[in-house]
Amino acid sequence: MTSMNSKVSRRQVLVLGGLTLGVGVVNVAGLGGTAYADSTADSPAGGVTLVPVGASPVVVLPGVGVQPAAFPRQLAVQVQHAGTGLPAGTQVAITYDPRLYAPLPTAMVTSGRHRLPATSKTTTDPRTTLATCTVTLTDALPAGSEPVVVVGTANPALYPLDLVVAPAGATAAVGRENRKPTGRRSLKSHRPKAFGGVATPWGIEVSGVWERYEWADGKRWYYYPARVTLHNVGPGTAPAAAAISVALDPRIVRDVRITGARLDHKAHDAGVRQLSSRRTASLFETHWTTRVRLKAGERLDLAVKVTTHRPARDLPTIKHPAVTLIDTGNHVTQRRTGLPSLSRTDSRWQ
């Protein structure tokens, strides 16, 4: 078993949506979902209720032609026991799909602003591949202490591991030590209407090619994009036309233009137009859109022409170049490709 009394550094603060962990404190927000009374034979006492922590559910994309699913952001449950105490050795077992959740280094139990002594052990069922974290309370708790047990948080998996086929819902049970808890309770989140109906996931990767401008006899240099590539990893079509932001340093870059486009390596009239341009003392940013809604597997290459000018002197700071995907909207079915932007930080300016 793993002790849960290990010290928590004041710098090690982990924010889990509605929960804030750090310095041994958990502040609960958004306790929700159905409350389930537990009166099984293995329950430590009657009148014990398990309440899921259901704030800010996250989207899980199960695959093509399936509704986006809602899962709790926190792998956590509150044990309510207003009319009875909990004896030492009380256990809370939370079972979850390890594809969806990343466990904390050590599970945490808190009551109010106090962290409670407890131990935890995680096992995996070889048949179902589901993991179960069993948390054991070391001390007895008086009636009404209502501890919150937190064992993990939603795992932000990236493409290609972000689609989770047939995700398993998390459950919790409470019982006595050395007895298998029974009567498991669902920790299912309320599904927001914004998650929509049956849909097909999609995602775009941003990549590109850089050019280098040099000055001061080659001792100073700055990188800027010469080509930007947008690749839809699928399996669905992007719901909005491809659009990007190009942000550069105005002390080095005079102008930016997109001069051509190729779709799947063939010349293409992409309908490129500039949406806006903003120049300040430290930032030159332009927004560009096309009329291309990328289908699964398609690649759009945009040729970028940058006009530079030589800085009068060494620069105290620099605006590193950045190309970012924009105007995709808050689409529930957008996959996390891990490459929503393009940048580099190896310019030399002083």
Side-chain angles (χ1 to χ4, degrees):
M1 290 190 176
T2 303
S3 172
M4 295 181 61
N5 294 320
S6 59
K7 295 181 180 179
V8 179
S9 166
R10 291 183 182 271
R11 294 185 179 180
Q12 293 174 336
V13 178
L14 176 61
V15 178
L16 304 178
L19 301 183
T20 301
L21 307 186
V23 201
V25 176
V26 174
N27 298 317
V28 180
L31 285 173
T34 305
Y36 302 98
D38 189 331
S39 57
T40 65
D42 286 338
S43 178
V48 175
T49 301
L50 296 177
V51 180
V53 177
S56 303
V58 297
V59 175
V60 173
L61 301 176
V64 177
V66 183
Q67 281 191 343
F71 277 76
R73 186 176 299 273
Q74 297 85 31
L75 195 56
V77 68
Q78 184 179 50
V79 183
Q80 296 183 350
H81 57 114
T84 183
L86 297 179
T90 296
Q91 292 185 324
V92 177
I94 297 181
T95 298
Y96 60 94
D97 190 331
R99 297 175 299 171
L100 299 179
Y101 290 98
L104 297 179
T106 56
M108 294 185 68
V109 182
T110 65
S111 178
R113 297 187 60 83
H114 302 286
R115 184 171 178 177
L116 305 178
T119 59
S120 64
K121 181 179 181 180
T122 301
T123 58
T124 300
D125 186 327
R127 181 178 62 85
T128 65
T129 72
L130 298 181
T132 297
C133 181
T134 301
V135 181
T136 304
L137 302 179
T138 302
D139 298 338
L141 298 180
S145 60
E146 299 189 347
V148 175
V149 180
V150 187
V151 303
T153 188
N155 181 25
L158 297 178
Y159 166 82
L161 303 178
D162 56 324
L163 298 187
V164 181
V165 178
T171 60
V174 62
R176 298 182 186 276
E177 192 172 11
N178 299 323
R179 294 187 186 181
K180 183 178 181 180
T182 60
R184 291 198 164 273
R185 313 309 186 198
S186 172
L187 301 183
K188 183 178 181 180
S189 285
H190 169 71
R191 189 178 186 277
K193 290 183 179 180
F195 282 18
V198 172
T200 300
W202 62 278
I204 292 180
E205 294 179 323
V206 181
S207 60
V209 176
W210 299 98
E211 286 192 11
R212 176 164 140 166
Y213 171 65
E214 297 182 351
W215 71 97
D217 297 325
K219 297 177 182 178
R220 305 288 183 263
W221 58 82
Y222 184 76
Y223 289 96
Y224 56 85
R227 187 181 69 207
V228 175
T229 299
L230 306 179
H231 173 218
N232 185 359
V233 300
T237 299
I244 60 171
S245 162
V246 180
L248 302 167
D249 195 307
R251 295 162 298 182
I252 303 171
V253 174
R254 187 188 306 274
D255 194 21
V256 176
R257 288 285 180 267
I258 293 182
T259 58
R262 300 181 71 85
L263 184 64
D264 289 341
H265 310 295
K266 297 180 181 179
H268 183 73
D269 181 7
V272 178
R273 62 187 178 91
Q274 183 175 323
L275 293 175
S276 63
S277 177
R278 179 168 66 104
R279 183 184 289 269
T280 67
S282 59
L283 174 67
F284 176 35
E285 183 174 22
T286 55
H287 288 184
W288 303 84
T289 188
T290 72
R291 57 169 175 255
V292 179
R293 291 178 55 197
L294 289 169
K295 298 176 183 178
E298 286 187 335
R299 307 174 69 96
L300 179 65
D301 291 295
L302 301 174
V304 182
K305 181 175 178 57
V306 173
T307 304
T308 59
H309 56 87
R310 178 189 177 99
R313 60 187 64 86
D314 282 359
L315 304 176
T317 59
I318 199 78
K319 169 63 184 83
H320 291 298
V323 178
T324 306
L325 188 69
I326 61 170
D327 294 342
T328 60
N330 185 23
H331 291 284
V332 171
T333 54
Q334 185 173 359
R335 303 180 67 178
R336 307 181 195 92
T337 64
L339 295 172
S341 62
L342 175 70
S343 183
R344 61 187 303 163
T345 60
D346 53 343
S347 297
R348 184 170 180 175
W349 63 95
Q350 61 182 3

